[in-house]
Amino acid sequence: MTTSKVDFSSVGWGSVEWTNLVTLYLRAHESRSRHPILGDHAAGAAVDRIDYDFKRIHRNSLPASNQYLVVLRAKQLDEWCAEFLTAHPDAVVLHLGCGLDGRAFRLAVPPSVRWFDVDQPSVIALRRRLYDETEHYRMIGSSVTDPQWLDQIPTGHPTLIVAEGLLMYLREDEVRALLQRLTDRFDSGEMHFDTLSPRAPLLSKLLTKGIIKWGIGNARELESWNPKLRFVERTSALAGYQEIDNAVVRLIFRLTSALPDYDTINRFTYSASQVGG
Ligand SMILES: C[S@@+](CC[C@H](N)C(=O)[O-])C[C@H]1O[C@@H](n2cnc3c(N)ncnc32)[C@H](O)[C@@H]1O
């Protein structure tokens, strides 16, 4: 990571880049709490280096409770990711829709792993001002719906694909095409991603200008879209609520985690040999 201060004051309030600054701030804030759940010190170090009106973000982001929306999901995905990397220290990781998240720096990634963070060019441009590339860590600025970027990723290794807070922003045909391109290119590995309910796009039309495009009741259905995929498990993105130390906030998260429309995290394996198996 470069160490000099970086000026992010041009990031517009409410933009996608700003949303990423909010989630980065929430992870940093949580890392400084008395009993951190995620303990994302890389986010803390990143926020310390960024010149931005974080006081205003703090006032608007309700960190005392909203930090858990971010860290509980990230923690579960980190655990699955760590399991995969322990089993496959020669893995390739694709972290799609990475935003400013520092999963590659938060986890103890074996030195033999090759990690690719992918997001829209404007987000990656911001990321490049914060993080340096190495032989084993690269950033790719592209829409994941563009087929070209995949040409840059090596094949022949177990490949982990993590997409946190991404697929709901794509249309269903784009999700289908992306999954197909990924399983066509890579022989085997796992996919970890979260999904919203089928009602989410309609609610988003009413409440958030229709930014949510895709939802699905049970992501297990993806097995019928793509025969190389095998469902492994799914859980509420808030399933780790027991770790919240404040009893009132814990209760709110317990109730929210039981809502059928809440964000679900899904884990799949994929392999050509699974077809018909
Ligand atoms: C809600 S943010 C999540 C960021 C990060 N994964 C996290 O959890 O903090 C969604 C991210 O997906 C990215 N995104 C949305 N559509 C995309 C696309 N078609 N291609 C690449 N990235 C996309 C956005 O730029 C944004 O950074």
Side-chain angles (χ1 to χ4, degrees), residues 16-17 19-20 23-24 27 70 73-74 95-101 103 118-120 122-123 142-145 163-166 168-170 174:
V16 170
E17 293 78 19
T19 312
N20 281 313
T23 50
L24 183 72
R27 284 191 298 272
V70 175
R73 181 175 72 181
H95 189 209
L96 309 184
C98 58
L100 295 177
D101 182 70
R103 175 160 284 121
V118 185
D119 205 302
Q120 297 283 17
S122 60
V123 175
S142 169
S143 170
V144 295
T145 59
E164 179 176 8
L166 170 70
M168 57 287 285
Y169 298 107
L170 308 183
E174 292 174 328

Side-chain angles (χ1 to χ4, degrees), residues 111-129:
S112 45
V113 164
R114 297 187 64 188
W115 188 294
F116 296 83
D117 272 344
V118 185
D119 205 302
Q120 297 283 17
S122 60
V123 175
I124 292 298
L126 215 52
R127 254 193 108 83
R128 286 189 189 285
R129 300 181 55 207

Side-chain angles (χ1 to χ4, degrees), residues 10 23 29 37 93 100 102 105 121 126 139 142 148 161 167 176 200 205 212 215 247 252 257:
S10 61
T23 50
H29 181 78
I37 296 172
V93 181
L100 295 177
F105 318 117
L126 215 52
M139 294 171 267
S142 169
Q148 305 303 323
I161 295 144
L167 297 185
R176 281 180 185 263
K205 269 191 190 150
I212 302 295
I252 293 168
S257 76

Side-chain angles (χ1 to χ4, degrees), residues 163-214:
E164 179 176 8
L166 170 70
L167 297 185
M168 57 287 285
Y169 298 107
L170 308 183
R171 297 189 316 266
E172 179 175 311
D173 62 304
E174 292 174 328
V175 177
R176 281 180 185 263
L178 174 63
L179 296 181
Q180 193 61 49
R181 275 198 299 275
L182 291 167
T183 58
D184 282 351
R185 179 155 180 97
F186 305 111
D187 291 339
S188 65
E190 291 193 11
M191 287 191 199
H192 307 159
F193 52 87
D194 56 323
T195 48
L196 295 176
S197 86
R199 281 180 286 272
L202 178 62
L203 285 174
S204 172
K205 269 191 190 150
L206 300 171
L207 303 171
T208 53
K209 298 182 184 163
I211 56 170
I212 302 295
K213 307 261 177 6
W214 178 64

